[in-house]
Amino acid sequence: VGGKTMIYTNSQEQTVYRSLASQIQLGFYEDGERFPSAQEIARRYQISYCPAQRALKLLENDGLIRLCRGKETSVLRKPYDDYLNSTIFFSRIEALDDLNRSLKLISSPICFQGLCAAGNGGNEKQFMEIYGCAHPGKRLYRLFVQALCALGSRSALNLYYDIGAFTESAFLDILNKLYGENGAELLLSQFSDSFLQSMRDCRERRLKEGRNRLNEMQDAFFEKTGRYFEPAKKKCREKRQTSFLWEPNKGRNRYCDVIAVDLLRKIGQGIHPVGTLFPSNAVLADIYHVSEMTIRRTVGLMNQLGVSETRNGVGTRVVSAGDESTPYKMKSLMSNNKFICFLEALQLLAITGKPVLAYTFPHCPAESLGAISRAAGIKVQYAAVNATVGALLQAAARHCPLAAIREIYSKITLLLLFGSILQIRGGEYGRFPGWPEISRNICESLEEGDGIRLAASADTLFKNCFAVMKEKLLELGIAGADKVYTPFDI
């Protein structure tokens, strides 16, 4: 089998390398299109020049491209001669099957909001330029990326770049295998036509028609690719399976800082009162979906701030809520970029929460549903809102049967911690829009066992949270907050 196994790490250059290698594998540069320069790659992936240049060198080192100073880059070969029979494909087959079902669940709502954003911005010209691509797979891929770009979210783009790098040419190769090259091209052309018509529907405010057309197109796509996996898994002899991972912020992350901020918020709100013990490191690691090492660093930071004290054999006790300077000490850890990541995570939650929770509800144990009900019943409004969002997130991150959704929602949980600094002191929502009705609907849906109603109520909650927090960030003058598109329901 041709090609090398691509390294699966989450540095910027490795992510760009895998994304570009997967596009080469998809045949996107076989029609004579010029391979992008380092400057173009940096703009496309929103990174600096150096990691873009290093990604090109990695492609050259693997013999996929030839870099010529002052001349256009040449594409030499694909990473794999026959991807569907490669070791790497069979090592990912379980995760690819799971991703296929996960994308069927979340791609349509993400794409719909992106098309609405593109329609509002008058970006049809860019879509029509993409539509001139002769390769129908490339056309569909770039139409989708254009819709994602319209959301104004680097996190959403990074998610789909990671997904694309992990799937490589699997879906296109499967269509070619099932329907032949001509049949696959016809299907992809039909899907592209549906996509473009959905964009026009959204631009002309025929929103239900646009959404339904998009749903039908994406359901058909993932149903067709999904047919391949069950028989293929029976032939798979590769025992060691690789899981899909998403790292929204490439490179090293200090999650201990943002977890410390969130624990300060919880102390201030009385969730961890002074004099009580924090949950054990193992429990905190499970709550925040991080390693126990990260929790130990977090506890060390809290001890340095004088907020807590750790004693061997006893645990870590909250000894102070901090003084007036504590939030400002922590605020230095929070850059504008982290606030934007927080807002982007809220956007993803507001867009995907409804289908994810409706899908997850039948798999939630009574304990998890009880936690949501108790959170919604908290008397202090802002505390109830925070706790309910957290309980709903935990339900999806722990109990969704799709591993990719659990991975995505566990990372959304971490990204939302970047906004905790807003609620350490005086960070109440005030009168949260629609909360009494949202709370009532959540509690009644849980009593009735109605997952659809619960998901609809959560959808309203998440979208209202996004609107409130975007307004707060705009008031604080956080640069870029205005660029993150506000999702809506119809």
Side-chain angles (χ1 to χ4, degrees), residues 163-182:
I163 290 172
F166 188 83
T167 59
E168 299 188 78
S169 61
F171 295 154
L172 182 58
D173 289 352
I174 286 170
L175 289 179
N176 284 330
K177 187 91 169 179
L178 293 176
Y179 300 99
E181 188 173 339
N182 291 336

Side-chain angles (χ1 to χ4, degrees), residues 31-95:
D31 58 2
E33 180 179 348
R34 184 177 61 83
F35 200 78
S37 65
Q39 291 92 337
E40 290 166 333
I41 290 168
R43 285 196 299 271
R44 181 186 301 178
Y45 291 90
Q46 301 179 31
I47 59 175
S48 61
Y49 177 85
C50 288
Q53 183 64 30
R54 288 197 294 268
L56 285 175
K57 289 300 294 182
L58 288 171
L59 291 169
E60 184 178 46
N61 291 342
D62 275 355
L64 304 182
I65 64 172
R66 179 186 292 121
L67 297 173
C68 303
R69 194 176 187 87
K71 297 181 181 179
E72 291 183 1
T73 298
S74 303
V75 176
L76 301 180
R77 65 174 181 84
K78 293 182 177 182
Y80 307 97
D81 297 328
D82 184 2
Y83 183 61
L84 295 185
N85 285 312
S86 67
T87 301
I88 193 70
F89 173 76
F90 283 113
S91 71
R92 296 176 181 177
I93 194 166
E94 295 283 352

Side-chain angles (χ1 to χ4, degrees), residues 259-277:
I259 294 171
V261 171
D262 195 57
L263 288 174
L264 277 171
R265 173 184 68 81
K266 289 179 176 178
I267 293 170
Q269 292 179 359
I271 297 171
H272 299 307
V274 173
T276 62
L277 292 171

Side-chain angles (χ1 to χ4, degrees), residues 47-203:
I47 59 175
S48 61
Y49 177 85
C50 288
Q53 183 64 30
R54 288 197 294 268
L56 285 175
K57 289 300 294 182
L58 288 171
L59 291 169
E60 184 178 46
N61 291 342
D62 275 355
L64 304 182
I65 64 172
R66 179 186 292 121
L67 297 173
C68 303
R69 194 176 187 87
K71 297 181 181 179
E72 291 183 1
T73 298
S74 303
V75 176
L76 301 180
R77 65 174 181 84
K78 293 182 177 182
Y80 307 97
D81 297 328
D82 184 2
Y83 183 61
L84 295 185
N85 285 312
S86 67
T87 301
I88 193 70
F89 173 76
F90 283 113
S91 71
R92 296 176 181 177
I93 194 166
E94 295 283 352
L96 288 169
D97 184 22
D98 180 272
L99 262 174
N100 190 78
R101 288 177 282 146
S102 300
L103 291 171
K104 184 180 177 183
L105 188 65
I106 66 172
S107 280
S108 184
I110 289 174
C111 213
F112 171 70
Q113 295 290 344
L115 289 178
C116 290
N120 290 343
N123 291 325
E124 185 176 5
K125 182 179 179 182
Q126 289 99 315
F127 281 84
M128 293 307 298
E129 288 173 354
I130 292 169
Y131 207 71
C133 295
H135 190 302
K138 177 164 64 177
R139 190 187 316 153
L140 186 61
Y141 173 90
R142 293 189 175 171
L143 286 169
F144 183 71
V145 170
Q146 187 67 35
L148 278 176
C149 289
L151 291 174
S153 170
R154 186 172 58 186
S155 296
L157 272 172
N158 281 340
L159 170 60
Y160 275 85
Y161 285 140
D162 280 358
I163 290 172
F166 188 83
T167 59
E168 299 188 78
S169 61
F171 295 154
L172 182 58
D173 289 352
I174 286 170
L175 289 179
N176 284 330
K177 187 91 169 179
L178 293 176
Y179 300 99
E181 188 173 339
N182 291 336
E185 286 194 3
L186 179 61
L187 279 171
L188 291 168
S189 293
Q190 291 170 349
F191 291 148
S192 299
D193 291 341
S194 293
F195 198 103
L196 193 62
Q197 185 56 52
S198 294
M199 190 273 291
R200 288 171 174 157
D201 287 335
C202 293
R203 187 197 62 190

